[in-house]
Amino acid sequence: MTFRARLLKIHPAVIVLASFLLAIIVGSIILKLPISTINAEIPWVDSFFTATSAVCVTGLVVVDTGSYFTFFGQCVILVLIQIGASPGSCGGGVKTTTLALLAAFTASRIRRKRRVNIFKKSIPNETVTRSISLILVSFGIIGLVLFMLLVGDSASGHVMPNSHGSFLAYLFETVSAFGTVGLSMGVTPDLTIWGKCWIIFMMIIGRVGVLAFAYIVVGTATSNGVEYSEENLMVG
């Protein structure tokens, strides 16, 4: 059997593992770049450890996230946290396979394909729609909680320490809570009661799952609704 034939018979579990390892490897390489750290170049083992900790949602650190990495490096860690663990695990985030499916969906639309295909297998449209909904709802919840944190602290007159009082610090804590990672830039103890309650809310959603939480709120019953005549709309 040729290598191409074997590749096309890859089991879905292998795709899960491949997307998981790819996120770690790419994250490690980017964190190794000089633009990612402030003073000294991070050793390979430390960049690999940090990327693995972010994607595996363990929260273990070998260097301080808030003082060791630059704005760019912290954003990279944020992306790794948001990707989260793989499906079937108890980690938060949007999951590695969701990102892989989104990339496949984008590629299929660019190539003007009707279906999303991965290794000669067509992905059900319902799965694609669920993945896109998951990403959109996740970003919506993160944006809402981040807004509430900023507005709440501003309204209360609470002043964060100068080293921590930044938009990215609030965003980092919010995404970390949603991803149930535990990585922090050190601002959590300085949050107000209002802010801590919203972080608690994010941790609960991250652990339960966005879609599961949405089902709890709006129910699982589906409705076809009213169907009208179709009208095309120019996009892009």
Side-chain angles (χ1 to χ4, degrees):
M1 182 181 294
T2 63
F3 175 77
R4 177 179 174 82
R6 292 179 180 177
L7 185 65
L8 296 180
K9 288 188 176 182
I10 287 181
H11 191 273
V14 179
I15 300 178
V16 173
L17 179 62
S19 60
F20 181 76
L21 294 178
L22 181 63
I24 294 177
I25 294 173
V26 173
S28 301
I29 295 175
I30 297 178
L31 289 178
K32 177 65 177 176
L33 299 176
I35 193 177
S36 299
T37 54
I38 295 178
N39 296 321
E41 183 179 358
I42 187 172
W44 273 111
V45 64
D46 290 347
S47 66
F48 184 67
F49 191 101
T50 303
T52 304
S53 179
V55 177
C56 293
V57 298
T58 56
L60 298 176
V61 296
V62 289
V63 294
D64 182 68
T65 307
S67 60
Y68 195 90
F69 293 100
T70 61
F71 176 84
F72 175 80
Q74 292 166 356
C75 289
V76 172
I77 298 176
L78 266 180
V79 173
L80 295 177
I81 292 174
Q82 181 62 8
I83 291 174
S86 293
S89 69
C90 58
V94 298
K95 308 299 184 183
T96 53
T97 50
T98 303
L99 187 66
L101 186 56
L102 180 63
F105 170 76
T106 304
S108 66
R109 289 299 178 265
I110 293 176
R111 299 170 60 186
R112 304 182 66 84
K113 301 292 184 180
R114 290 184 176 272
R115 298 295 299 273
V116 177
N117 301 321
I118 299 179
F119 296 115
K120 296 297 183 179
K121 300 294 189 299
S122 294
I123 307 299
N125 290 330
E126 182 181 355
T127 303
V128 177
T129 303
R130 187 185 301 117
S131 299
I132 297 175
S133 300
L134 173 62
I135 294 175
L136 293 178
V137 173
S138 298
F139 279 107
I141 294 176
I142 291 174
L144 173 63
V145 174
L146 176 61
F147 176 78
M148 299 304 292
L149 287 177
L150 295 172
V151 171
D153 280 358
S154 176
S156 65
H158 178 67
V159 179
M160 298 288 290
N162 292 331
S163 60
H164 295 153
S166 65
F167 174 85
L168 180 62
Y170 283 103
L171 177 61
F172 199 99
E173 304 301 297
T174 304
V175 175
S176 181
F178 176 75
T180 64
V181 178
L183 293 176
S184 174
M185 291 179 63
V187 305
T188 305
D190 299 316
L191 292 174
T192 62
I193 297 178
W194 169 269
K196 291 176 181 178
C197 289
W198 279 106
I199 293 298
I200 292 173
F201 174 71
M202 285 298 287
M203 289 188 290
I204 293 175
I205 292 181
R207 179 57 69 184
V208 174
V210 175
L211 294 182
F213 187 82
Y215 290 150
I216 294 174
V217 175
V218 302
T220 58
T222 59
S223 175
N224 292 330
V226 179
E227 293 188 13
Y228 298 99
S229 59
E230 293 185 353
E231 179 70 26
N232 197 9
L233 180 65
M234 181 182 298
V235 295

